[in-house]
Every structure is written in structure tokens, then in C-alpha cells.
């Protein structure tokens, strides 16, 4: 990474390097947030299915 930084610094493209690092970080954060949202939706669906199963179980006992 040091060599890459030196190349950008020698050409005067530090703003491009900073923009690239910001965009990479933002993209990585977006991917992480979408994965967390998907797993949260799966857990919620499992919870709702379990509540439905319990409701059927208690309704059948009557």
C-alpha cells in the first residue's frame, strides 16, 4: 500500500486516492448493512413462523 500511496503522491493525485478510499469504505459499509438487514429479515421470518406454529398448536388443543 505504501508504493501505491507514493505513486499517487508523486503524481499529485492525492484527492483521487482519498475519494477512492472513501468510496471503497462506503461501499463496504453498504454491503455489510445489506447483509445484516437480510439476516435480520430471516430471523424475523423465523420468529413469525414460530408464533404461527404456537398459535396453531394452542388452537388445536381446544
Amino acid at each position: 500500500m505504501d508504493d501505491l500511496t507514493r505513486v499517487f503522491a508523486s503524481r499529485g493525485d492525492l484527492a483521487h486516492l482519498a475519494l477512492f478510499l472513501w468510496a471503497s469504505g462506503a461501499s463496504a459499509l453498504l454491503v455489510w448493512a445489506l447483509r445484516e438487514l437480510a439476516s435480520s429479515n430471516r430471523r424475523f421470518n423465523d420468529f413469525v413462523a414460530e408464533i404461527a406454529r404456537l398459535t396453531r398448536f394452542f388452537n388445536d388443543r381446544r
Side-chain angles (χ1 to χ4, degrees):
M1 191 69 166
D2 251 359
D3 295 332
L4 185 62
T5 306
R6 259 189 241 113
V7 168
F8 274 96
S10 67
R11 294 184 56 206
D13 288 339
L14 287 177
H16 287 103
L17 177 62
L19 182 61
F20 170 74
L21 292 174
W22 174 82
S24 298
S27 297
L29 186 60
L30 176 65
V31 168
W32 175 80
L34 289 175
R35 283 184 184 169
E36 289 296 316
L37 183 61
S39 66
S40 172
N41 284 339
R42 277 191 299 275
R43 287 190 304 268
F44 184 70
N45 284 339
D46 292 343
F47 172 73
V48 169
E50 198 63 30
I51 294 296
R53 188 183 69 79
L54 282 173
T55 302
R56 282 192 307 272
F57 174 76
F58 286 121
N59 283 339
D60 290 345
R61 290 182 58 190
R62 290 184 189 180

